[in-house]
Amino acid sequence: MTEKELREIKRRFRPDKNNILSLRGCLVNSEKTIIAEINQPMASCSVTDSEKILSIMKKAISGSLGTNLLDLEFPAEAPTTSEKHQLLSDLRGSYLKNENALKYFYQKVIESVHFEGSFAILLASDNYDVFSYDQSGEKSDSSEIFSYIICAVCPVKPLDSGLCYREYDTSFRSIEQQSLLCPPELGFMFPAFDNRAANIYGTLYYTKNVSDVHPEFIENIFGLDLPMSATEQKQSFDSCLKETLADDCDFDVVRSVHDQIAEMVQEHKDQKQEEPLKLSKKDLKGVLEYCGVEEEKVEQFGEKFEEQFGKNAEVAPKSIVDVKKFQVSTPDVSIKVNPERTDLVSTQVINGVRYIMIRANEGVEVNGVNIDIK
């Protein structure tokens, strides 16, 4: 999916925009027992409640593509050979009215997640009449209907009993212990919305924690190979650089790599390309060549990258470099630098001692106190 397509679907999650008839799901206690099943008609909800429910479901397709949001692909034979794909198709095709499929899905999710307390499994089904544009540029109806389901797995936390102030009668009244539905830890949309149409061979998967993609969930619900998390991609990329560049992996090279990737990201943004930017082995080898790394080590990096990420792999820039942050750290000191002013920092060896040098002409503060450097 592209950023533009993602935004188009996210706009559906408003009371006046969607065709969601009811919220389906169940509440699961800490012993992994279903204690309540949910079938809440959206028509019976107040506008405020509807907005809050839709906001929770929208979170399951929020975040950044390539980090929180992962495009998972089913093999070509999945629709006819995969039991897991068939279950998702049954849920979608029945508009969440197949009770047997729902109960089986709940159990598979329960087996796949490991939360300390209670949690809720929430599902919604929506039909989107995908608009098109006529020759004059005006929106027009389309014969394309995008039918999809969205799932959110949300922790449920207890709220203690206590006193609550009531504005309408200016008094305090006791409230019993209640349960608070928290934003989802993971979720997905099936099928994917690619080229503004349903792609039954894809699903958009969400994880709140980019360092944990919940591998058991991906295996039990989709039956697909585990993708590398953004944290793992960052660690693998750093390892590729350090192991292949060895002594040449100095401050100037790492800074130059950061700056080059940041420029590529900005250029992609300026060109307003719909497809998210992905970097291949060839792209990253080109970055190292531009940074002055010798040819032999560039080739070694390419081999190591392919070993770590796989043949023909592409990575999202956000997964390997934080272009909005530049930080220099030692075990005792951490320095944050404006990414646009990395030129203020350098390294130097003086009398055999290694130093990080920061050019500081004015505006130097220590614990909030402006100081002079004599």
Side-chain angles (χ1 to χ4, degrees):
M1 287 181 64
T2 67
E3 293 281 359
K4 185 176 180 180
E5 289 167 337
L6 180 60
R7 290 194 299 270
E8 188 172 342
I9 295 300
K10 288 170 73 172
R11 285 194 289 268
R12 301 284 302 158
F13 291 84
R14 298 196 314 219
D16 60 330
K17 291 290 185 181
N18 67 85
N19 290 313
I20 297 174
L21 298 179
S22 66
L23 183 72
R24 301 301 305 266
C26 65
L27 188 62
V28 184
N29 65 17
S30 56
E31 277 73 49
K32 291 199 166 188
T33 301
I34 295 177
I35 57 176
E37 292 200 26
I38 301 162
N39 187 357
Q40 184 171 345
M42 296 298 286
S44 67
C45 298
S46 68
V47 173
T48 300
D49 290 344
S50 178
E51 287 176 345
K52 290 185 182 298
I53 290 171
L54 293 171
S55 176
I56 288 287
M57 301 306 291
K58 182 180 177 180
K59 287 284 186 182
I61 52 170
S62 297
S64 299
L65 290 170
T67 52
N68 305 94
L69 293 170
L70 305 175
D71 281 310
L72 303 184
E73 295 184 9
F74 292 96
E77 65 276 10
T80 55
T81 62
S82 170
E83 176 189 337
K84 295 174 174 61
H85 189 281
Q86 186 60 53
L87 175 60
L88 296 173
S89 297
D90 287 345
L91 292 171
R92 175 198 181 211
S94 68
Y95 303 107
L96 303 178
K97 294 178 182 177
N98 184 331
E99 298 298 331
N100 290 332
L102 279 171
K103 292 181 186 299
Y104 184 64
F105 177 79
Y106 297 156
Q107 290 302 325
K108 297 300 289 184
V109 173
I110 291 169
E111 294 169 9
S112 309
V113 298
H114 305 283
F115 296 147
E116 290 185 2
S118 301
F119 62 93
I121 304 169
L122 303 178
L123 287 159
S125 173
D126 185 28
N127 281 338
Y128 173 30
D129 185 5
V130 183
F131 64 86
S132 59
Y133 292 97
D134 58 27
Q135 293 182 345
S136 66
E138 295 294 325
K139 283 185 181 180
S140 63
D141 292 337
S142 168
S143 58
E144 178 70 39
I145 301 292
F146 176 53
S147 175
Y148 66 99
I149 58 172
I150 189 161
C151 173
V153 183
C154 308
V156 175
K157 296 183 180 180
L159 288 177
D160 292 335
S161 57
L163 291 175
C164 178
Y165 177 71
R166 301 195 311 194
E167 250 183 66
Y168 66 88
D169 64 357
T170 62
S171 65
F172 288 97
R173 292 289 185 267
S174 63
I175 56 171
E176 300 300 322
Q177 188 179 64
Q178 300 179 50
S179 297
L180 176 67
L181 183 67
C182 301
E185 288 290 324
L186 65 154
F188 67 88
M189 182 179 77
F190 174 81
F193 186 58
D194 293 333
N195 297 316
R196 304 190 69 236
N199 173 14
I200 64 170
Y201 300 100
T203 186
L204 186 66
Y205 177 71
Y206 166 79
T207 177
K208 181 180 179 180
N209 183 355
V210 297
S211 64
D212 182 8
V213 296
H214 302 276
E216 198 169 342
F217 186 92
I218 293 175
E219 170 59 31
N220 286 350
I221 302 303
F222 307 115
L224 299 175
D225 293 336
L226 176 66
M228 292 177 69
S229 69
T231 300
E232 290 170 330
Q233 291 184 54
K234 168 66 174 167
Q235 292 170 345
S236 295
F237 177 73
D238 292 348
S239 173
C240 288
L241 278 181
K242 183 59 182 174
E243 291 182 24
T244 55
L245 270 61
D247 294 341
D248 289 340
C249 189
D250 59 16
F251 176 81
D252 290 332
V253 168
V254 174
R255 175 176 59 184
S256 186
V257 168
H258 177 280
D259 292 348
Q260 284 302 306
I261 293 178
E263 281 187 25
M264 295 167 75
V265 170
Q266 187 59 49
E267 182 180 350
H268 184 269
K269 183 178 179 181
D270 292 342
Q271 292 175 350
K272 298 181 179 180
Q273 297 184 28
E274 294 185 7
E275 289 292 333
L277 177 62
K278 294 291 184 71
L279 301 180
S280 64
K281 177 181 74 173
K282 181 181 178 181
D283 295 326
L284 292 169
K285 286 173 63 177
V287 168
L288 294 183
E289 289 171 355
Y290 184 88
C291 296
V293 176
E294 61 186 62
E295 184 177 348
E296 181 182 353
K297 292 190 175 181
V298 171
E299 291 303 319
Q300 290 174 359
F301 172 86
E303 293 171 5
K304 188 69 176 178
F305 179 87
E306 191 168 298
E307 177 186 317
Q308 292 277 1
F309 291 88
K311 192 174 182 179
N312 301 321
E314 294 182 323
V315 296
K318 292 180 181 179
S319 299
I320 58 174
V321 170
D322 187 345
V323 299
K324 296 181 179 179
K325 184 174 72 174
F326 191 87
Q327 185 167 315
V328 183
S329 301
T330 73
D332 301 307
V333 178
S334 181
I335 306 164
K336 293 183 179 180
V337 184
N338 179 347
E340 297 180 359
R341 295 308 314 270
T342 57
D343 59 295
L344 296 175
V345 185
S346 62
T347 57
Q348 192 171 340
V349 178
I350 303 175
N351 296 327
V353 181
R354 291 174 290 185
Y355 290 91
I356 299 169
M357 315 295 287
I358 305 172
R359 189 165 76 250
N361 296 327
E362 58 184 16
V364 180
E365 292 185 358
V366 177
N367 290 336
V369 179
N370 196 291
I371 67 165
D372 290 326
I373 299 178
K374 304 293 186 183

